[in-house]
């Protein structure tokens, strides 16, 4: 499913549920920008007689630009309080900060292509806090009070909390929070019970996956 219409997560969910197709693939950057990529692939595979039978592995969306102001990193460290920590300690630290209802801005490596923040330029916060939606919208996003934030969840645990039938690695399908968990997860559940999830596996984003598992140890819930 490609093109701007593929940003409609509700329609995407209905397509999956309809059973019209045995498999459906949503790309992380569904817009007219894909025309250029499609033209390049056509030239490579068709005009040069290369064989293509489809990509069976996870397609990484982390192909965008590096942080634009990375050359000012030294200056930023001199201006603001900072602390350097080991990469291996990050999952536990992120989980602890989120469990304390702190809002974390995570920026690392290359940005995601497409409109969705999928872990490399994301805001992390506690979905179990019943006031987090209002806090995030009022103090961070500066948008309408009623809009829930989109959660990340470990892929293997997603079916326990949500109605997705398949992995949703690019936040492209709007499914529903299961009835028994809606009261527990009000900040990520819309008034109609819907939610825009991103499922995360260890191979897709190691840091986020491990942080989610650490948050589960603290809160009992592998979601933020």
């Amino acid at each position: 499913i490609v093109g701007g219409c593929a940003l409609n997560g509700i329609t995407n969910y209905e397509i999956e549920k309809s059973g019209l197709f045995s498999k459906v693939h949503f790309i992380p950057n569904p817009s007219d920008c894909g025309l250029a990529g499609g033209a390049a692939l056509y030239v490579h595979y068709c005009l040069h007689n290369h064989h293509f039978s489809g990509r069976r592995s996870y397609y990484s969306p982390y192909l965008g630009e590096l942080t634009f102001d990375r050359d000012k990193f030294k200056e930023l460290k001199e201006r603001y309080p900072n602390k350097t920590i080991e990469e291996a300690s990050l999952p536990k630290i992120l989980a602890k900060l989120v469990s304390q209802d702190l809002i974390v801005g995570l920026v690392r490596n290359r940005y995601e292509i497409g409109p969705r923040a999928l872990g490399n330029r994301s805001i992390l916060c506690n979905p179990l806090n019943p006031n987090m939606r209002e806090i995030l919208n009022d103090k961070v996003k500066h948008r309408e009070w009623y809009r829930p934030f989109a959660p990340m969840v470990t892929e293997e645990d997603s079916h326990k909390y949500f109605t997705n039938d398949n992995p949703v690695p690019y936040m492209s399908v709007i499914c529903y929070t299961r009835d028994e968990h809606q009261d527990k997860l009000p900040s990520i559940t819309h008034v109609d019970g819907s939610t825009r999830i991103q499922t995360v596996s260890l191979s897709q984003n190691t840091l986020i996956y491990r942080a989610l598992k650490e948050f589960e140890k603290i809160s009992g819930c592998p979601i933020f």
Side-chain angles (χ1 to χ4, degrees):
I1 307 295
V2 298
C5 290
L7 288 173
N8 191 324
I10 295 175
T11 299
N12 292 344
Y13 183 67
E14 292 300 323
I15 291 173
E16 282 196 331
K17 299 294 286 186
S18 70
L20 285 171
F21 309 100
S22 58
K23 291 183 180 181
V24 183
H25 177 65
F26 304 98
I27 63 174
N29 56 332
S31 70
D32 292 342
C33 298
L35 294 173
L41 286 171
Y42 177 81
V43 170
H44 180 71
Y45 287 107
C46 294
L47 299 188
H48 294 287
N49 295 318
H50 292 302
H51 179 69
F52 179 69
S53 58
R55 184 184 181 95
R56 290 175 172 80
S57 59
Y58 168 71
Y59 177 79
S60 174
Y62 309 114
L63 303 172
E65 297 289 333
L66 291 168
T67 310
F68 72 91
D69 55 356
R70 62 188 183 281
D71 58 323
K72 299 180 181 178
F73 191 56
K74 182 179 179 181
E75 177 185 334
L76 291 172
K77 289 180 69 175
E78 292 173 350
R79 183 182 302 178
Y80 299 104
N82 63 87
K83 182 179 180 180
T84 301
I85 58 176
E86 295 294 327
E87 178 88 7
S89 302
L90 275 177
K92 286 187 177 181
I93 291 174
L94 289 174
K96 182 178 179 181
L97 293 175
V98 170
S99 70
Q100 295 173 341
D101 290 332
L102 297 176
I103 298 174
V104 179
L106 181 62
V107 180
R108 65 193 305 268
N109 300 332
R110 290 188 176 276
Y111 292 151
E112 302 88 335
I113 56 173
R116 308 298 180 207
L118 302 173
N120 279 14
R121 53 178 177 92
S122 293
I123 297 171
L124 311 181
C125 49
N126 189 352
L128 302 176
N129 183 334
N131 300 314
M132 189 54 71
R133 177 174 58 200
E134 288 75 16
I135 294 171
L136 189 68
N137 286 331
D138 182 49
K139 296 185 177 182
V140 181
K141 291 280 194 174
H142 303 295
R143 62 183 188 181
E144 297 87 352
W145 61 270
Y146 56 82
R147 294 174 63 176
F149 59 87
M152 293 184 282
V153 55
T154 50
E155 183 180 302
E156 68 272 19
D157 299 309
S158 61
H159 309 295
K160 176 182 176 180
Y161 298 92
F162 307 105
T163 61
N164 60 302
D165 292 327
N166 301 300
V168 190
Y170 309 124
M171 208 179 285
S172 53
V173 174
I174 295 178
C175 56
Y176 292 87
T177 303
R178 294 193 179 277
D179 292 342
E180 62 269 29
H181 295 293
Q182 288 190 14
D183 290 341
K184 184 180 179 181
L185 300 168
S187 295
I188 61 172
T189 303
H190 214 297
V191 65
D192 63 352
S194 63
T195 184
R196 182 191 297 277
I197 69 171
Q198 176 197 355
T199 59
V200 184
S201 69
L202 183 63
S203 62
Q204 292 168 5
N205 193 312
T206 303
L207 172 62
I208 293 295
Y209 180 86
R210 288 178 173 163
L212 285 167
K213 298 306 284 187
E214 291 295 335
F215 185 68
E216 182 181 24
K217 294 177 182 178
I218 298 172
S219 68
C221 181
I223 304 171
F224 54 54

